Amino acid sequence: MSRYRLALSPVQETALREHCAHARFVWNLCVEQEAEWRPGRGKMPRFAGRCRQLSEARAENPWLAAGSVIVQQQAIRDHDQAMANFFAGTHRRPSWRKAGRDEGFRVVAVRPGDVRRLNRKLAEVRVPKAGWVRFRLSRPVPEDVKSFRVTLDRAGRWHVAFAAIPDPVPGPGNGEVAGVDRGVAVSAALSTGETLNVPRLSPGRQQRLVRLQRKLARARKGSRRRGKVKLAVARLKGREADARKDWCEKVSTDLARRFDVIRVEDLKIGNMTRSARGTIEQPGRNVQAKAGLNREIARSGWGLLVARLEQKAPGRVEKVNPAYTSQRCSACGHVDAKARESQAVFACTACGSAANADVNAARNIAAGHAVTARGGSGLPGPVNREPQPVLLPAA
Ligand SMILES: [Zn+2]
């Protein structure tokens, strides 16, 4: 995904804000409809059915009818995809979108002439109802753009992102296999012994962020000062997110180029990030610790890294059952929960070999012989890596 900063005229900004409002309105209608569903009420309409409902809503509602039907239909499409992801167990259930927080819309059916270069620094893209919108040409625009997404972040920046699937990167062809373990202490450990870390804010900026967040907590709601502080916080966080995305691009290209097969843990991140709190009947354990871990997983960009790997090395990414990868000795195969001496060190209780815990796990993943979770062969239960059961609503 290549993202560019938009340079908008005030009139265009108004038009784009309308699109955002329409997209959010339609999305929230879908969420509401799903929330009202009860067993025995029949099937939920899917994309086509909802598009018919949208036509009816547009006929009755001039505010909606004034907007772009493409933008509104794509909001339905996005929600449809989000529900599919939810049922697949990889994502959370789509939730309400809020003004000021979720501002964006998508445009499809982009034709070749709809994106054009103006000069070395500027290009423009045709947005329904807003006309030609300029953006800074910070890097070349991908060819064959089929769709794009416009977003307004909390720092007040408008961006356009063109959806383009990155070209596959050829592997070295020497049969080299790498295991990648995602971790908290290190973002990604490789079976080669390398440890890679997502860039974080500099210590100075981190301190500034903490100070700003304290200030924000003290600022009166709705005050001008609060708005200013909020913006500064959003800018810092935006900077960190940009660095994380950039890191994912670089690391995925590097891995795809260096290894023929890349093995990763088959983690359903959606499940992990969802279940910290547990349910009312079964309250989660270690809620605070898990919430912290979940936050770290989200911040380490693991999901994005794997998605990029699969695009750049199609057919060369293998997902391995993550059970016991952190408790198994990669040298002798002995499994022991006590071998995790600390978060960072794995010390085998059988053969005495010691290694960085994440690298040890990465080697197990590279070997692909993680034990199946159902085999009750006297092995200790996984302590911290078993994926949580999917919390699907009782049908
Ligand atoms: Zn051992």
Side-chain angles (χ1 to χ4, degrees):
M1 191 69 85
S2 34
R3 215 169 59 134
Y4 308 83
R5 184 87 174 263
L6 289 179
L8 298 172
S9 73
V11 177
Q12 287 176 329
E13 181 159 357
T14 309
L16 296 198
R17 277 186 188 275
E18 280 287 284
H19 283 339
C20 292
H22 291 144
R24 187 170 50 241
F25 178 75
V26 171
W27 170 282
N28 284 342
L29 280 184
C30 296
V31 172
E32 193 178 321
Q33 217 173 44
E34 297 284 345
E36 282 170 1
W37 185 86
R38 294 290 175 276
R41 283 227 186 131
K43 273 194 173 165
M44 271 284 124
R46 295 303 299 259
F47 180 66
R50 288 219 165 105
C51 283
R52 275 195 298 278
Q53 293 176 339
L54 176 65
S55 307
E56 288 163 23
R58 280 171 64 91
E60 289 163 14
N61 198 331
W63 169 71
L64 210 54
S68 154
V69 72
I70 292 187
V71 166
Q72 295 165 17
Q73 281 188 353
Q74 284 318 301
I76 297 178
R77 172 80 77 198
D78 287 347
H79 181 270
D80 203 51
Q81 182 61 49
M83 285 307 288
N85 293 344
F86 167 63
F87 286 124
T90 55
H91 289 69
R92 273 198 266 189
R93 180 181 272 279
S95 59
W96 298 94
R97 291 197 167 160
K98 266 178 69 180
R101 189 186 67 188
D102 309 296
E103 301 281 5
F105 61 90
R106 204 150 61 87
V107 173
V108 293
V110 177
R111 285 166 306 172
D114 288 348
V115 185
R116 63 186 185 196
R117 220 177 105 132
L118 291 175
N119 56 43
R120 230 155 34 84
K121 287 182 181 157
L122 282 175
E124 54 187 8
V125 55
R126 206 203 300 260
V127 178
K129 310 258 174 190
W132 289 101
V133 172
R134 294 190 171 188
F135 59 91
R136 284 189 220 153
L137 208 48
S138 42
R139 68 190 80 110
V141 175
E143 282 170 42
D144 296 333
V145 169
K146 297 280 194 298
S147 72
F148 61 85
R149 191 171 170 77
V150 172
T151 52
L152 168 64
D153 67 16
R154 285 197 248 190
R157 303 175 302 178
W158 288 91
H159 288 100
V160 60
F162 297 103
I165 295 169
D167 288 331
V169 176
N174 57 6
E176 198 85 20
V177 178
V180 188
D181 177 58
R182 67 113 191 86
V184 173
V186 287
S187 317
L190 306 189
S191 48
T192 57
E194 291 158 81
T195 53
L196 308 170
N197 276 306
V198 172
R200 288 281 155 79
L201 289 176
S202 68
R205 288 215 171 91
Q206 254 163 32
Q207 272 176 16
R208 189 170 131 71
L209 182 61
V210 171
R211 268 203 307 277
L212 283 167
Q213 281 168 329
R214 262 186 225 135
K215 224 177 188 176
L216 190 63
R218 283 194 304 263
R220 194 160 37 82
K221 276 219 167 128
S223 69
R224 183 196 285 234
R225 194 172 92 106
R226 188 181 164 86
K228 268 189 176 171
V229 178
K230 230 175 163 173
L231 193 69
V233 167
R235 276 208 188 107
L236 277 172
K237 287 192 170 167
R239 184 187 282 268
E240 195 178 28
D242 288 350
R244 185 170 59 231
K245 282 178 193 153
D246 195 48
W247 180 85
C248 284
E249 295 297 344
K250 283 185 181 139
V251 169
S252 55
T253 301
D254 180 56
L255 291 174
R257 192 174 288 148
R258 282 169 57 202
F259 303 99
D260 277 333
V261 177
I262 301 140
R263 297 209 171 107
V264 297
E265 287 173 297
D266 187 8
L267 289 180
K268 293 208 166 19
I269 296 189
N271 300 345
M272 295 198 67
T273 29
R274 186 174 332 132
S275 55
R277 228 166 292 143
T279 58
I280 296 170
E281 297 83 48
Q282 286 183 302
R285 283 188 302 172
N286 296 331
V287 171
Q288 276 310 313
K290 275 191 193 161
L293 178 68
N294 288 343
R295 211 161 34 238
E296 284 303 313
I297 289 170
R299 276 176 71 186
S300 67
W302 180 253
L304 181 62
L305 179 64
V306 174
R308 281 290 175 273
L309 273 175
E310 285 179 323
Q311 288 165 342
K312 292 178 187 174
R316 298 194 281 128
V317 178
E318 292 176 4
K319 291 190 172 169
V320 171
N321 183 341
Y324 307 107
T325 47
S326 64
Q327 295 168 35
R328 181 192 176 101
C329 172
S330 60
C332 73
H334 183 70
V335 177
D336 186 355
K338 288 192 283 292
R340 279 299 285 271
E341 235 179 26
S342 66
Q343 190 61 34
V345 179
F346 181 94
C348 182
T349 50
C351 76
S353 77
N356 173 307
D358 295 314
V359 170
N360 177 67
R363 289 190 177 132
N364 284 327
I365 292 164
H369 52 44
V371 190
T372 52
R374 66 186 147 74
S377 52
L379 296 164
V383 172
N384 57 356
R385 268 167 202 262
E386 191 173 50
Q388 307 290 324
V390 185
L391 298 179
L392 285 174

